[in-house]
């Protein structure tokens, strides 16, 4: 055991590694139990996992620069067989495969006196719904990552800590696809019966948090709790706002508002009492991060304790946040308390406003519009945004992305379950729902321009403050969306996307094209939703 008995006594930690790892059959590894930030820095540097960047963050490079969704499997057994929505991102695997890989990982961990880093943490700030998670990891930087990202127990809580789930993450262990029955040498296996996650072959730290997010997404609906891939903040009057959105839509940026306290930036639950953060930290995408537009997040990239993932450093160690040569998916992982204006408890009341963010590269959707209850379910199930040319190989024009519930890779149950639960919560709370387009205006990508963040903030401020309650709304013919006729601080020509295009006929042609894409995508959900939701689908002919 690497930690001293004195420190164990001070923190209430167990005396022997066998009490921690006996269930995994790991006896020969050197165990670092609940190591501090400083200890993890020292271990990461000693092991060659990274270097210290200017200002103090730990900068690392990984063998994979993003998640591996095609290598994620859920064990199919009596517990999951009829409860999981198989297909898409939910791929079944047998318990035999899981057990075989667990045995191999155990043997790998016992060999050659390997070091293992163990953090015992909570997923969730609400004591009634949180999970105790034991992370057993091969990389010191992963241990720092989860320490930043999840909720750290008090000394009293550690003394009685009994994990609900265990995550075993050994990036140095690689599977044999032929022998082990997986797709590649990388794997993320989730076993709900054994309450365990196995991760191998990938150094990308985001797999740790998203694995547990997926676990919560399966478990919480049974308790009447709505799990959400969204950020959340609260205004001075106690008004809570939720921000749903896929990568690149502005979810993190727009929720980090100096006038509103941040509850969390990525994952939340909605109970009968209000909303709570799943996490104790933030995992912000930092490519092109601007110090003036996002000062709080920028500051974290120059702070001790932060993990910088795949951020290029200059010769003097200064992070170059504009350099995407390693990946466009550069990340900063930091404890939430590094952001100044936060809700310390990570919990707040029911939302008054819900915002669906989309970055429409077609320039069709309004910069802000109000949704009916049926449209709320429709756009939640659609989860639309668009990729622009250059973000992936082979993309030469805008490509639609439909990620149901704004987080399809992490949703084990049928999307309809989440949509119905959201609809019930919205109806009970009376929350208003808005669709906000942070993408293009005046034309498609390459012709129009990106929506001004200043205008977007002005529209959001008006919506959240009730400033749009008394204005006149007009309807868009293709998507039947209610568009405000005026918003303080926003030019009138911006609000209706058709008016923002120089050629109205060209706008109509692209709008028809996008409407058909929406309808084609929704075919897979039509049989499982109410007729009113289906009726709210866009009309390519503009007859709404």
């Amino acid at each position: 055991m690497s930690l001293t008995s004195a420190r164990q006594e001070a923190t209430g930690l167990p005396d022997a590694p066998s009490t921690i790892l006996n269930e995994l059959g790991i006896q020969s590894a050197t165990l670092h139990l609940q190591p501090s930030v400083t200890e993890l820095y020292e271990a990461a540097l000693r092991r060659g996992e990274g270097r210290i960047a200017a200002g103090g963050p730990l900068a690392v490079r990984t063998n994979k620069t993003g998640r591996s969704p095609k290598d994620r499997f859920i064990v199919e057994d009596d517990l999951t067989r009829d409860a999981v929505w198989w297909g898409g991102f939910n791929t079944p695997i047998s318990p035999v495969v899981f057990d075989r890989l667990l045995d191999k990982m155990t043997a790998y961990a016992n060999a050659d006196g390997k070091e293992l880093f163990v953090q015992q943490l909570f997923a969730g700030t609400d004591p009634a719904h949180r999970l105790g998670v034991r992370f057993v990891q091969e990389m010191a930087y992963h241990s720092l990552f989860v320490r930043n990202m999840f909720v750290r127990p008090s000394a009293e809580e550690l003394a009685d800590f009994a994990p609900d789930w265990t995550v075993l993450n050994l990036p140095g262990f690689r599977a044999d696809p032929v022998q082990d029955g997986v797709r590649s040498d990388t794997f993320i296996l989730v076993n709900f019966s054994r309450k365990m996650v196995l991760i191998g072959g990938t150094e990308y730290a985001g797999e740790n948090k998203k694995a547990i997010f997926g676990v919560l997404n399966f478990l919480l609906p049974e308790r009447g709790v709505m799990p959400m891939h969204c950020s959340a903040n609260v205004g001075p009057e106690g008004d809570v706002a939720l921000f749903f959105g896929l990568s690149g839509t502005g979810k993190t940026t727009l929720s980090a508002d100096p006038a509103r306290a941040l509850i969390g930036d990525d994952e939340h639950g909605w109970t009968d009492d209000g909303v709570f953060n799943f996490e104790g930290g933030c995992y912000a995408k930092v490519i092109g991060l601007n110090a003036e537009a996002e000062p709080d997040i920028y500051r974290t990239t120059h702070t001790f304790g932060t993990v910088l993932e795949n951020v290029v450093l200059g010769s003097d160690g200064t992070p170059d946040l504009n350099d995407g040569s390693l990946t466009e998916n550069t990340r900063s992982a930091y404890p939430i308390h590094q952001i100044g204006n936060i809700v310390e408890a990570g919990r707040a009341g029911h939302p008054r406003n819900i915002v669906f963010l989309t970055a429409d590269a077609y320039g069709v959707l309004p910069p802000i519009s109000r949704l009916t209850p049926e449209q709320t379910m429709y756009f939640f199930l659609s989860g639309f945004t668009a990729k622009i040319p250059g973000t992936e190989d082979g993309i030469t024009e805008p490509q639609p992305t439909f990620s149901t519930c704004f987080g399809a890779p992490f949703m084990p149950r049928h999307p309809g379950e989440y949509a119905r639960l959201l609809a019930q919560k919205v109806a009970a709370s009376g929350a208003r729902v808005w669709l906000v387009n942070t993408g293009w205006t005046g034309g498609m990508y390459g012709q129009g321009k990106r929506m001004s963040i200043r205008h977007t903030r002005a529209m959001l401020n008006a919506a959240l403050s009730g400033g749009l309650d008394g204005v006149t709304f007009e309807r868009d013919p293709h998507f039947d969306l209610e568009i405000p006729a005026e918003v303080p601080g926003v030019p009138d020509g911006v609000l209706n996307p058709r008016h923002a295009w120089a050629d109205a006929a060209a706008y109509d042609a692209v709008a028809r094209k996008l409407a058909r894409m929406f309808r084609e995508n929704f075919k897979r959900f039509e049989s499982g939703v109410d007729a009113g939701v289906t009726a709210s689908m866009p009309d390519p002919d503009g007859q709404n």
Side-chain angles (χ1 to χ4, degrees):
M1 177 77 72
S2 65
L3 301 183
T4 65
S5 297
R7 181 161 179 264
Q8 292 167 356
E9 182 177 352
T11 58
L13 296 174
D15 291 330
S18 60
T19 62
I20 295 295
L21 299 180
N22 186 56
E23 65 189 62
L24 297 176
I26 298 174
Q27 294 91 24
S28 302
T30 300
L31 183 67
H32 301 273
L33 181 56
Q34 216 73 12
S36 67
V37 173
T38 300
E39 289 171 323
L40 290 170
Y41 263 69
E42 291 172 349
L45 295 174
R46 169 175 52 80
R47 292 161 52 89
E49 293 179 8
R51 57 179 287 200
I52 299 178
L58 179 66
V60 301
R61 295 187 179 186
T62 59
N63 66 335
K64 292 182 181 291
T65 57
R67 292 181 298 101
S68 302
K70 294 181 180 179
D71 293 307
R72 171 181 169 272
F73 301 87
I74 297 174
V75 172
E76 182 181 10
D77 55 20
D78 291 343
L79 182 61
T80 60
R81 187 167 294 112
D82 297 324
V84 170
W85 192 46
W86 302 109
F89 293 103
N90 296 321
T91 305
I93 204 163
S94 76
V96 172
V97 170
F98 182 94
D99 291 344
R100 183 169 57 233
L101 276 168
L102 175 58
D103 288 344
K104 287 188 173 184
M105 293 178 78
T106 298
Y108 170 86
N110 279 322
D112 304 322
K114 287 188 174 60
E115 291 183 281
L116 293 178
F117 302 86
V118 178
Q119 294 283 354
Q120 307 196 107
L121 303 161
F122 289 121
T125 56
D126 187 338
H129 299 290
R130 69 189 181 189
L131 287 182
V133 185
R134 178 175 290 158
F135 291 92
V136 181
Q137 297 165 308
E138 182 180 14
M139 298 188 74
Y141 121 72
H142 279 185
S143 193
L144 178 59
F145 174 88
V146 296
R147 191 182 191 280
N148 284 350
M149 293 306 306
F150 290 91
V151 181
R152 291 186 295 279
S154 65
E156 293 77 17
E157 290 169 330
L158 272 177
D160 298 321
F161 192 91
D164 301 299
W165 276 71
T166 298
V167 176
L168 178 62
N169 189 342
L170 307 176
F173 176 81
R174 297 174 182 272
D176 182 322
V178 176
Q179 292 184 0
D180 297 327
V182 289
R183 193 188 72 93
S184 72
D185 62 0
T186 295
F187 57 92
I188 303 95
L189 307 185
V190 183
N191 191 323
F192 284 97
S193 294
R194 296 194 61 169
K195 298 181 179 180
M196 188 179 298
V197 178
L198 305 181
I199 304 174
T202 174
E203 298 171 358
Y204 183 67
E207 298 287 10
N208 292 283
K209 64 167 266 173
K210 290 305 185 185
I212 294 301
F213 183 32
V215 169
L216 289 167
N217 287 344
F218 181 80
L219 298 176
L220 290 179
E222 292 184 344
R223 307 178 191 173
V225 178
M226 175 64 191
M228 303 174 293
H229 186 208
C230 72
S231 57
N233 63 25
V234 59
E237 304 301 319
D239 56 303
V240 174
L242 305 181
F243 300 81
F244 290 82
L246 302 175
S247 179
T249 60
K251 178 163 58 73
T252 299
T253 299
L254 293 171
S255 60
D257 185 334
R260 300 174 64 85
L262 182 69
I263 303 169
D265 86 322
D266 197 40
E267 300 165 1
H268 293 81
W270 188 351
T271 73
D272 291 339
D273 299 318
V275 300
F276 71 97
N277 192 2
F278 286 172
E279 301 179 296
C282 303
Y283 190 38
K285 193 172 182 178
V286 295
I287 190 71
L289 190 69
N290 184 285
E292 294 182 3
E294 301 168 277
D296 285 341
I297 300 174
Y298 182 86
R299 188 174 59 253
T300 72
T301 64
H302 296 72
T303 302
F304 179 80
T306 291
V307 173
L308 293 182
E309 201 170 43
N310 298 309
V311 172
V312 175
L313 304 182
S315 58
D316 61 352
T318 300
D320 185 349
L321 302 181
N322 294 312
D323 190 334
S325 58
L326 293 178
T327 177
E328 292 289 310
N329 189 36
T330 56
R331 295 278 179 166
S332 174
Y334 50 92
I336 195 170
H337 62 72
Q338 287 191 14
I339 299 291
N341 189 19
I342 64 170
V343 178
E344 292 284 351
R347 304 191 299 275
H350 295 290
R352 189 178 302 172
N353 290 279
I354 298 172
V355 180
F356 293 165
L357 296 167
T358 182
D360 174 20
Y362 296 92
V364 166
L365 295 177
I368 189 168
S369 52
R370 187 172 60 188
L371 301 183
T372 66
E374 293 78 16
Q375 288 174 327
T376 295
M377 289 188 69
Y378 181 83
F379 278 93
F380 181 70
L381 287 169
S382 297
F384 168 75
T385 192
K387 296 177 182 177
I388 60 174
T391 56
E392 293 183 11
D393 290 343
I395 295 182
T396 58
E397 62 178 37
Q399 297 290 323
T401 296
F402 293 98
S403 185
T404 182
C405 307
F406 295 97
F410 326 116
M411 302 295 179
R413 295 183 178 273
H414 191 284
E417 290 190 49
Y418 302 109
R420 282 187 288 274
L421 190 52
L422 178 65
Q424 292 167 10
K425 299 288 187 186
V426 170
S429 67
R432 296 168 298 192
V433 184
W434 308 88
L435 179 67
V436 172
N437 176 20
T438 61
W440 273 254
T441 181
M444 297 174 60
Y445 173 86
Q447 300 167 6
K449 59 183 180 180
R450 189 76 190 255
M451 198 74 64
S452 162
I453 191 170
R454 180 170 59 85
H455 291 161
T456 298
R457 286 198 181 278
M459 289 181 278
L460 273 176
N461 289 339
L464 301 187
S465 68
L468 299 184
D469 291 353
V471 306
T472 301
F473 284 78
E474 56 184 341
R475 288 194 172 274
D476 154 66
H478 295 286
F479 286 80
D480 199 29
L481 295 169
E482 294 183 327
I483 306 170
E486 57 180 324
V487 176
V490 181
D492 292 344
V494 172
L495 296 172
N496 190 315
R498 193 171 190 270
H499 299 164
W501 282 52
D503 186 342
Y507 167 84
D508 287 334
V510 177
R512 287 193 293 269
K513 177 181 179 180
L514 184 59
R516 285 192 290 268
M517 293 177 184
F518 265 83
R519 293 179 72 93
E520 181 63 28
N521 171 71
F522 205 75
K523 287 180 178 178
R524 55 192 172 138
F525 304 123
E526 285 187 61
S527 61
V529 299
D530 297 336
V533 178
T534 304
S536 68
M537 288 195 297
D539 183 355
D541 297 325
Q543 300 300 313
N544 279 314

